[in-house]
Structures are given as structure tokens and as C-alpha cells.
Amino acid sequence: MKTKAAVVIEPGKPIEIEELTLDGPRENEVLIQYLYGGLCHSDVHISIGDTIARLPMVLGHEGAGVIHETGPGVSRVKPGDRVVCSFTPNCGKCKYCATGRSSVCDMSAPMLEGYLPGPRFPITGPRGDYGAMCLLGTFSQYGVIHESSAIKVDDDLPLDKAVLVGCGVPTGWGAAVNTGQVKPGDYVVIYGIGGIGINAVQGAKHAGASEIVAVDPLANKRSKARELGATQAFATAREAQNFIDHLTNGQGADCAIITTDLITDETVTDAFNIIGRCGNVVLTALNRVDEITIKLPSAPMSYFRKHLRGSLYGDCNPAVDIPRLLRMYKGGQIKLDELVTKTYRLEDVNQGYDDLLNGKNIRGVIVHEH
Ligand code: CXF
Ligand code: ZN
């Protein structure tokens, strides 16, 4: 069948809309009609060239839609099911899935090459085989994905909001709750209030933090952070450091979460200095894999038992945590409606990313036309 999709052909060039050909679902694969795709920063990293991926690639790793067809052997979903996509498949059998760490499932290794197990590329077009971001490619009207990338959700959920639980919400929420191990009464500092940082605010609030300090140079981001649970919001790391020093009598924060688009060694140093003994610094940003972004003195790590922790998908297990977060949304324990700043047509994907890069959006969402 044919599908219209947003594709990165060459880094540094605008994202292009192309009509591509989609093969039918094979063993353990499903055909999904995407209804919504979230504009997460990780996709634009590829089009800019900050992240090296196999090209051409259909972008989009936050998606929600309806299952249209299932291949042989599929048991997790059936035609007609409404699903939110997980940006990592979870095979359930590898060492990591079997030990509750399915965000790093073996099957997710080719996220940036974008092929299904095989290797197999169900999307083809004028430039040959097309990869699909995170084995999804949600900036396409249709996709063929592994059944474990599709998480069935309740029929009454608004998918235009639930789509954000595919990446941004668990990545931020889990960075505080899981990776940062925030506890009731803790002092937490969050650097960068975008699609991830705002959900780290929500996670820290959920975990019962007493003080949630948001750091972002943009006033609109600081005000959104306050709206969703930040107790303080500063434009600079220096102001946050002064506040925490004063508040804790120099003892430092319990957790610092870095959710800026790209990490600089300056921000890592700020975060390292703001935490106290046994504190956690959580890193979610995605720089180029070979770039050195951490320059720290090691002795204070030992003396003061400080931890630096990398976090992927907020260390969540998507198959259980996507439904969990959606239950919490229904129960009013986590906000989604307030996260969406603007919706876009697929053809306006470059505008959506310009708005993101210019700091206008907390979250933008593509609404597919069918
Ligand atoms: C990323 C993780 C690395 C591959 C692309 C998606 N996660 C969040 O945006
Ligand atoms: Zn993402």
C-alpha cells in the first residue's frame, strides 16, 4: 500500500514529505494506521545531524493509532485495537526484558537504523529501503511494526493526548521516579523544561518532593513548570545553586535531572555541584555518541557518594508503564492535556520543529489526515 511520510534524506536539509510503499505485516508484525505523532526533540536531532542515523529515515517515535491488520503469530493486539506505541520494542525474552529493564531490550538495538528483526525494511521508495525511527516511523500515515511496539490502550482514551505517553511523559516522569529515585520530602532540580523536563517536574511531584526547582532561560517554560508542580523556577543555574545552598544550609539537593536538548559539560558540572552527599544526577539528553560531555573531578564522587545515572525511557518498562501512566491520567494524577501547545498537519512538520527549536512549544503533535 501507499503511505505519505516525513523523511530525513540528508542532515541539515528540511524534512521532506514523500509517498512511500509499505509492505504488509509478516510474522509477529502488525499494520498500524497512525492517527497522531508527537514531535519529540530526538527526531529533529537526526534531521539537524546531531544524531547519526541510517538514512533515509521516516521520522517519528511517538505514535498512537489503530491496528488494521496482524501478521501470523501475533497475540498481543488484534485489528481494531487502539494502541500507543513504545519507542523500544520489548521481546520479553532477552536478559534485560527478563530482569525488568525492557527499555534496553535487545530488539531495540537498531533504533537509529530503523529496521525490524530480520533485518527487514517494510518501507521502500524512490531512494530504496527506508528506516523507521525507533522501528516505528510515526510521521507516516501507516506503518508496519513489531507487535511488541504496540501497547493496547482503553477505547475511551483521547489518543491525541495519550500519544505523549509513547516517549516524553515516561522519559521525564521516570527520570525522577525511577532513575533519580526521588523520595517524599526531597529537593530536586531540573535543568531544561521541554517535553522531557516538564514531565520530570510531574514525576518529582508524584514522588512527593518538597522542593522542585526548574531551570530554564525562557519565561514561558518557567511558567509551565510552575503550573505543573515546580515550586521555584529560575532562568539560570547560578540562581538555582544559590537557592539550594540557602535552603539546605549548604547540604545540597537530593537529585538533579538534566533534560536539556544537548548536554554541555557546564550543565553536568552545575548538576554535580548542586547535589549533596548520596545525591543523583540523571542524564537524559542525547548528544553524538562520540562527544565528550562530562568533565568532573572523581574524588568528590567517592568522598560524597555522588551518582551520575544515564536514563533511557525513564527506566520504565513500557508494556506496563504506558498503561500505568494512562490510568494516572484518567485519575488526574498526571496531566497530559496541559502539555500540548499546538497541533500540525504532516506537511507542516518543519514548522512544528522550528517552533520547538525556537522554544515556543512544550509539545507539538502531528494530526494525520486519512
Ligand atoms: C530516544 C532514545 C534514543 C533513540 C531515539 C529516541 N528517546 C527519546 O526521545
Ligand atoms: Zn522522544
Side-chain angles (χ1 to χ4, degrees), residues 145-212:
I145 64 179
H146 192 268
E147 62 171 320
S148 71
S149 298
I151 313 297
K152 180 176 163 32
V153 301
D154 291 347
D155 286 341
D156 59 349
L157 275 166
L159 291 183
D160 58 334
K161 310 296 181 319
V163 64
L164 304 179
V165 181
C167 174
V169 175
T171 299
W173 185 86
V177 172
N178 297 327
T179 325
Q181 299 172 349
V182 174
K183 301 280 182 300
D186 275 0
Y187 300 130
V188 180
V189 183
I190 297 157
Y191 298 87
I193 303 299
I196 310 297
I198 195 67
N199 289 300
V201 169
Q202 297 211 77
K205 183 176 176 193
H206 167 90
S210 285
E211 208 69 58
I212 303 170

Side-chain angles (χ1 to χ4, degrees), residues 34-56:
Y34 289 121
L35 299 177
Y36 303 100
L39 292 154
C40 176
H41 208 128
S42 304
D43 299 286
V44 80
H45 279 317
I46 292 176
S47 81
I48 292 170
D50 294 331
T51 298
I52 307 298
R54 180 198 176 279
L55 302 177

Side-chain angles (χ1 to χ4, degrees), residues 198 201-202 205 223-230 335 338-339:
I198 195 67
V201 169
Q202 297 211 77
K205 183 176 176 193
S223 101
K224 189 51 95 173
R226 284 184 191 276
E227 182 192 328
L228 292 197
K335 309 254 188 252
E338 291 76 357
L339 300 179

Side-chain angles (χ1 to χ4, degrees), residues 99-181:
T99 49
R101 299 173 290 179
S102 60
S103 68
V104 284
C105 169
D106 278 353
M107 204 191 277
S108 66
M111 279 190 291
L112 298 174
E113 283 84 22
Y115 54 77
L116 290 168
R120 137 159 170 85
F121 291 87
I123 309 173
T124 51
R127 296 162 220 281
D129 288 337
Y130 285 59
M133 175 69 162
C134 293
L135 291 65
L136 295 173
T138 64
F139 298 171
S140 172
Q141 294 169 303
Y142 294 90
V144 165
I145 64 179
H146 192 268
E147 62 171 320
S148 71
S149 298
I151 313 297
K152 180 176 163 32
V153 301
D154 291 347
D155 286 341
D156 59 349
L157 275 166
L159 291 183
D160 58 334
K161 310 296 181 319
V163 64
L164 304 179
V165 181
C167 174
V169 175
T171 299
W173 185 86
V177 172
N178 297 327
T179 325
Q181 299 172 349

Side-chain angles (χ1 to χ4, degrees), residues 52-65:
I52 307 298
R54 180 198 176 279
L55 302 177
M57 172 171 274
V58 175
L59 289 187
H61 64 281
E62 278 183 337

Side-chain angles (χ1 to χ4, degrees), residues 190-194 197-198 201 212-237 239-240 359-362:
I190 297 157
Y191 298 87
I193 303 299
I198 195 67
V201 169
I212 303 170
V213 179
V215 182
D216 198 291
L218 299 177
N220 60 328
K221 304 292 188 79
R222 296 198 297 274
S223 101
K224 189 51 95 173
R226 284 184 191 276
E227 182 192 328
L228 292 197
T231 52
Q232 300 288 333
F234 297 112
T236 63
E239 290 168 278
K360 292 188 183 161
N361 290 356
I362 290 291

